[in-house]
Amino acid sequence: MTTTAAPAAPAAEAASLTPTLRQLWHRARWFLAAAAVLLVAGLLIAGLGDSTAYPSLDPRSAAPDGTKAVAQLLRAQDITVDTTADADRLATPGGADTVVLPLPDLLTTDQLRALAAAGHRRLVLISPDSTALDLLAPGLHTAGTADLPLAVSSASAVPLCDLPEAQRAGSAELGGRLYQVDADSGATGCYPRQGYPALARTSTTQGTEVLVVGSGRFLTNQRLANDGNAALALGLLGTQPHLTWYLPDYQALPAGTAAPQKSFTDLIPDGWRWAALQLAVATVLAALWRARRLGPVVSEQLPVVVRAAETTEGRARLYHRAKARDRAAEALRRAVRHRLAPVLGVPLGGGDPDPTTLLAALGERLTGHRDPAGPRDLLYGPPPSDDAALLRLADDLDALERQVRQP
Amino acid sequence: MALTGRTALLAALGSLVVGLLLPSWTGIGVVGGTVLLGVLADLLLAAPVRTLQLARTGDGAVRLGEPATVTLTVGNPSGRPLRARLRDAWPPSVFRPGTELTASRRRLLVPPGERRRVDVELLPTRRGDHRAHRVTIRSLGPLGLAGRQGSHLVPWTLRALPPFTSRKHLPSRLARLRELDGRTSLLTRGQGTEFDSLREYLPGDDVRSIDWRASARRNTVAVRTWRPERDRHILIVLDTGRTSAGRVGDAPRLDAALDAALLLTALATKAGDRVDLLAHDVRPRGTVLGRSATEVLPAVTNAMALLEPALVETDLRALTAAALRLAPHRSLIVLLTGLDAGPAEDGLLPLLPQLTKRHEVVIAAVADPLLAELATGRGTLPAVYAAAAAEQTQADRRAIAERLTRLGATVLDAPPTALPPALADTYLALKAAGRL
């Protein structure tokens, strides 16, 4: 049955909820403004802050492991400091200049040969390996075995040699790779650590003075002010009016690495990579297709669900946990008395019939069926002593009730 | 805007073109450009959604459990055909359970300048007002690659009225009522009876009812007869507090109480009595006052549609005061509440004398059939304890009922299906006894 009375006729006219362009602009302009402010602020911060990360021992780096400080000191002494990442520039014939070469082993053998032939006045090698030593520093070898060169961490050491720069500087923090000096080569070893020099000087046949240090740590901004580090650095690097600081390409693989293995993607035809890319585009489109809902989810207030019998069930569990056999038995007995009284014609005075009248009526009804003491114990007896007795009592009460109803 | 599966499929097929013919950025650009062109063309050529004209007609109210149809008319004023998917969003409980998704979504084709009707079949599963949420339309372009999507607010309210399942009891009770009215042979005068007619004395009539004055005017001896008074006032008070929220079977107690109140209203209206309704927990939730006999049942039904159990303790003092205010003269006050020990002892027992002083009071409570079921549990220890707890609860309810009866009220405590006829019978019995 549908009643014709419409209690709530449409209150408002139908209206489109799709925003117009003007509404979109009004709604979005503050978000757009906020996004623009964020973007500008980000660009400003990125532009102002010097976030370029230089590798260690880079004369442009002001970081603790950079060497900007020593470069500035050298410039203050009217020495021109150039940096180059181009190994070929090192091969151009030099004049009165110094070349700093960190990790010379990152250069190829040919480059090293060209460098040796270029005839620079002074060459400072920072922790070179045996290849570079063989080509650039005759009479010097790495200490320890070829597989396991001897190296220690930098620590303060005394010169113990007659190298003028070392004598001037006094003790300095040296370490890193340790070297061996051939006795008859005319090379000098200084700052010995564990018996092997951490700084060594030799010269090539072209007249280039080659200085080898095990570690460039004493040149860094962090350590330069310690000990005699600064004096040693200026002594090593500041003898010539030009200084060229080579910036090694740390990404370059050391020479002699095995040929790369072919991976799966190298083996499949080239076109399939593009097809996979196109498939990814299709996946994104499919995601967009599925993500767009046909209108928002409609929510609804749900009613609370409380079962009316919950309190009774809770009471039953309480009885059970407390082993309240007496209360349970009394409840069952009273219910049976309450049901039997009307059947037997006994008045229900205030919910519970009079015991004597009820028992008398019961005895009369059950004469011959049961001993008279049974119903009394059943209806008014002591509480059951254990769980089994309670179960028995419930069954006995049922039996009694059945007997009374159908004698 | 919205894309379709066809767009994704086209892009996926494009990977063949890219892989076999143009394995380069050019290929990806060509395929992407084609898809983009198609999507743009669809977006441009799809019928606009914002200018669509939507309107609703259909059922405004329906009895709970009966289907209703709400018709949505979609007019397409643009010059392009509208090929669309439409979703008429309603709260989930308005649809037939299990069909929420399918019932609300349609495919639609509206030629330019024409209108189409969409019938949405609703079957509310909950009482109360259900409001249409919004109509969302996705208008697809001619290629079916993309479409414009937008929503319209097309307000409509469907009121789900109480089901009044107990109306099957109405014919039998009306027959009893006619019997009661036709008997009219109450020879004794009492409270709640009015003069009916004079008739000839028959042997066996009480001599005290002989009207000597009338007998003097005619040749025969006349006796006065009386009939139950008509046009009595009945105030039905619904307690919508927390005890009415408890579920008995699958529905809250309140629903059973509403059913009983509806049957009583229908019966009393037919009997010529005036019926008022008050729903109250901590404050009045709804009243129906002073309606004429023809409009009281619809008014009561409508007022009941919006009643929900409130999870608060009923303020019985305020409820009693409101009831007394609405019933200044002697009335039958039917209080549909709970018989739980706590609220009844603290609230109802001390306040009942105020009501019974001047009024006839019937207190009707919805009993839980689960209690009777629990009470028969035997065999295991938990079952026996549950039986004992159920017996204890029932004994408590009986004790409360007993005390209320002693204070002069008529107490009914019956399960949901039995309560409406029991209340109707009580009303008829009170009427027959002239106690209204």
Side-chain angles (χ1 to χ4, degrees):
Chain A
M1 179 177 84
T2 34
T3 54
T4 47
E13 274 303 299
S16 172
L17 293 174
T18 318
T20 58
L21 277 180
R22 174 186 291 271
Q23 286 168 329
L24 271 182
W25 165 246
H26 271 265
R27 217 179 285 171
R29 57 184 169 172
W30 292 115
F31 292 101
L32 289 177
V37 166
L38 269 180
L39 191 68
V40 168
L43 284 177
L44 275 178
I45 290 168
L48 288 179
D50 183 14
S51 61
T52 319
Y54 292 108
S56 62
L57 292 185
D58 193 304
R60 295 166 301 181
S61 166
D65 63 347
T67 54
K68 192 171 183 175
V70 70
Q72 294 287 27
L73 284 177
L74 291 168
R75 284 197 187 98
Q77 296 186 357
D78 294 332
I79 296 167
T80 53
V81 180
D82 291 331
T83 57
T84 180
D86 185 7
D88 295 336
R89 253 189 74 186
L90 301 177
T92 54
D97 64 345
T98 311
V99 172
V100 183
L101 205 57
L103 296 179
D105 294 278
L106 290 178
L107 295 176
T108 60
T109 324
D110 290 340
Q111 284 168 330
L112 288 175
R113 279 208 188 91
L115 176 64
H120 300 281
R121 188 69 54 82
R122 180 176 269 204
L123 209 52
V124 179
L125 306 179
I126 299 174
S127 56
D129 213 342
S130 48
T131 322
L133 286 179
D134 289 346
L135 290 168
L136 295 175
L140 291 183
H141 308 281
T142 51
T145 62
D147 291 335
L148 190 70
L150 189 62
V152 295
S153 61
S154 293
S156 189
V158 286
L160 293 181
C161 70
D162 53 2
L163 195 70
E165 289 91 342
Q167 289 290 340
R168 273 201 299 278
S171 68
E173 293 180 340
L174 281 172
R177 286 235 170 107
L178 300 180
Y179 299 96
Q180 256 177 320
V181 182
D182 285 351
D184 55 346
S185 65
T188 320
C190 297
Y191 297 102
R193 300 279 312 276
Q194 303 184 359
Y196 296 103
L199 186 151
R201 180 193 160 282
T202 184
S203 41
T204 62
T205 47
Q206 281 85 7
T208 306
E209 189 181 14
V210 179
L211 285 148
V212 173
V213 290
S215 151
R217 194 167 153 78
F218 72 101
L219 293 171
T220 60
N221 298 333
Q222 189 182 16
R223 317 298 295 182
L224 192 67
N226 295 1
D227 230 340
N229 290 356
L232 182 64
L234 290 179
L236 292 182
L237 308 180
T239 51
Q240 306 299 326
H242 295 289
L243 177 75
T244 307
W245 200 302
Y246 176 66
L247 305 173
D249 182 8
Y250 291 100
Q251 265 80 47
L253 285 171
T257 313
Q261 273 198 320
K262 279 199 158 187
S263 69
F264 175 71
T265 47
D266 294 326
L267 298 171
I268 58 170
D270 219 26
W272 289 109
R273 220 177 286 188
W274 296 99
L277 188 60
Q278 178 60 35
L279 269 183
V281 172
T283 313
V284 170
L285 288 177
L288 286 175
W289 159 48
R290 296 311 302 170
R292 185 76 163 121
R293 283 181 317 212
L294 197 58
V297 172
V298 185
S299 62
E300 182 177 19
Q301 286 206 326
L302 294 176
V304 269
V305 178
V306 192
R307 294 195 305 121
E310 230 162 51
T311 46
T312 306
E313 284 161 358
R315 190 197 295 230
R317 281 192 293 273
L318 273 181
Y319 280 172
H320 195 175
R321 198 178 306 164
K323 298 198 192 321
R325 284 186 291 270
D326 46 348
R327 284 190 151 270
E330 181 50 30
L332 291 171
R333 282 169 168 159
R334 192 169 57 228
V336 171
R337 293 201 293 263
H338 185 266
R339 282 198 292 270
L340 285 185
V343 179
L344 296 170
V346 178
L348 272 169
D352 212 2
D354 179 50
T356 21
T357 330
L358 182 71
L359 284 174
L362 203 56
E364 202 175 309
R365 175 73 66 104
L366 299 176
T367 312
H369 291 278
R370 238 185 134 92
D371 58 313
R376 177 186 298 277
D377 270 0
L378 210 49
L379 289 177
Y380 295 98
S385 52
D386 55 6
D387 291 344
L390 179 64
L391 289 178
R392 210 162 44 239
L393 175 75
D395 291 339
D396 288 351
L397 285 172
D398 281 357
L400 177 71
E401 207 177 331
R402 269 199 304 278
Q403 237 171 349
V404 171
R405 284 176 193 278
Q406 310 155 348
Chain B
M1 73 164 266
L3 298 177
T4 64
R6 232 181 256 191
T7 319
L9 186 66
L10 191 65
L13 289 177
S15 68
L16 288 178
V17 177
V18 171
L20 298 176
L21 303 177
L22 289 167
S24 62
W25 284 114
T26 322
I28 290 194
V30 165
V31 172
T34 314
V35 173
L36 189 67
L37 270 181
V39 166
L40 284 179
D42 261 353
L43 285 179
L44 278 176
L45 296 176
V49 172
R50 192 181 305 128
T51 55
L52 293 178
Q53 290 157 352
L54 279 85
R56 267 188 219 274
T57 51
D59 298 328
V62 66
R63 285 220 178 274
L64 195 67
E66 289 168 9
T69 308
V70 174
T71 306
L72 190 68
T73 313
V74 182
N76 178 15
S78 71
R80 283 167 269 172
L82 173 72
R83 298 197 308 129
R85 292 193 60 207
L86 177 143
R87 174 180 171 224
D88 190 6
W90 290 77
S93 72
V94 177
F95 296 104
R96 190 184 297 275
T99 65
E100 292 89 348
L101 279 181
T102 49
S104 61
R105 285 163 170 78
R106 296 294 160 81
R107 287 185 185 281
L108 192 65
L109 184 69
V110 186
E114 293 190 20
R115 296 193 295 169
R116 286 288 181 274
R117 287 162 44 126
V118 179
D119 286 342
V120 181
E121 194 85 353
L122 304 176
L123 182 87
T125 51
R126 246 191 268 141
R127 201 159 37 76
D129 275 354
H130 302 285
R131 289 185 178 78
H133 191 245
R134 56 173 68 178
V135 179
T136 306
I137 295 168
R138 182 178 292 179
S139 161
L140 295 176
L143 299 173
L145 289 176
R148 307 183 188 187
Q149 181 169 324
S151 296
H152 284 255
L153 205 62
V154 196
W156 191 261
T157 306
L158 180 70
R159 177 165 286 185
L161 303 170
F164 196 6
T165 46
S166 63
R167 65 177 181 271
K168 59 175 182 274
H169 297 294
L170 194 56
S172 63
R173 266 63 189 183
L174 283 176
R176 292 257 302 279
L177 184 71
R178 277 193 293 276
E179 209 173 283
L180 198 70
D181 259 356
R183 197 169 70 199
T184 61
S185 58
L186 289 173
L187 291 180
T188 50
R189 173 180 194 174
Q191 218 176 10
T193 57
E194 60 187 12
F195 174 70
D196 182 44
S197 60
L198 288 169
R199 64 166 169 79
E200 206 171 317
Y201 175 83
L202 293 171
D205 281 347
D206 189 346
V207 289
R208 283 175 299 179
S209 61
I210 294 175
D211 186 342
W212 295 108
R213 203 185 290 260
S215 303
R217 279 201 294 273
R218 50 174 88 183
N219 295 331
T220 57
V221 181
V223 292
R224 290 181 183 198
T225 60
W226 306 88
R227 64 170 190 189
E229 215 166 355
R230 297 175 69 93
D231 203 25
R232 307 310 298 167
H233 180 227
I234 298 174
L235 176 65
I236 300 175
V237 183
L238 285 165
D239 173 2
T240 58
R242 66 170 179 84
T243 50
S244 70
R247 290 195 168 234
V248 171
D250 201 23
R253 279 205 166 105
L254 183 64
D255 284 17
L258 293 183
D259 212 24
L262 276 176
L263 183 64
L264 179 62
T265 306
L267 186 61
T269 312
K270 283 281 192 306
D273 291 335
R274 288 175 293 121
V275 179
D276 286 345
L277 176 79
L278 167 70
H280 197 289
D281 38 72
V282 286
R283 60 183 186 78
R285 297 287 171 183
T287 48
V288 176
L289 298 175
R291 298 303 181 97
S292 72
T294 48
E295 62 185 18
V296 65
L297 191 61
V300 164
T301 313
N302 254 325
M304 282 176 176
L306 300 180
L307 288 181
E308 288 296 333
L311 291 187
V312 288
E313 188 71 57
T314 305
D315 185 352
L316 280 165
R317 190 172 298 275
L319 184 143
T320 314
L324 286 173
R325 232 182 359 263
L326 293 180
H329 307 294
R330 180 177 169 79
S331 312
L332 170 67
I333 295 183
V334 178
L335 177 56
L336 287 151
T337 181
L339 282 181
D340 301 80
E345 247 170 26
D346 301 338
L348 200 52
L349 282 170
L351 291 168
L352 193 60
Q354 291 183 28
L355 293 173
T356 49
K357 194 165 67 184
R358 201 193 295 157
H359 305 289
E360 186 68 35
V361 178
V362 174
I363 295 173
V366 183
D368 192 348
L370 192 61
L371 283 187
E373 201 179 300
L374 281 179
T376 58
R378 295 288 185 269
T380 63
L381 207 52
V384 169
Y385 276 122
E391 297 285 18
Q392 184 65 46
T393 308
Q394 282 180 331
D396 290 348
R397 287 177 80 92
R398 271 200 304 272
I400 295 284
E402 184 91 8
R403 291 169 70 182
L404 291 172
T405 311
R406 239 178 284 149
L407 285 173
T410 310
V411 181
L412 291 176
D413 185 16
T417 46
L419 187 65
L423 185 59
D425 289 345
T426 308
Y427 164 76
L428 289 174
L430 287 173
K431 201 167 179 63
R435 278 169 65 186
L436 290 190

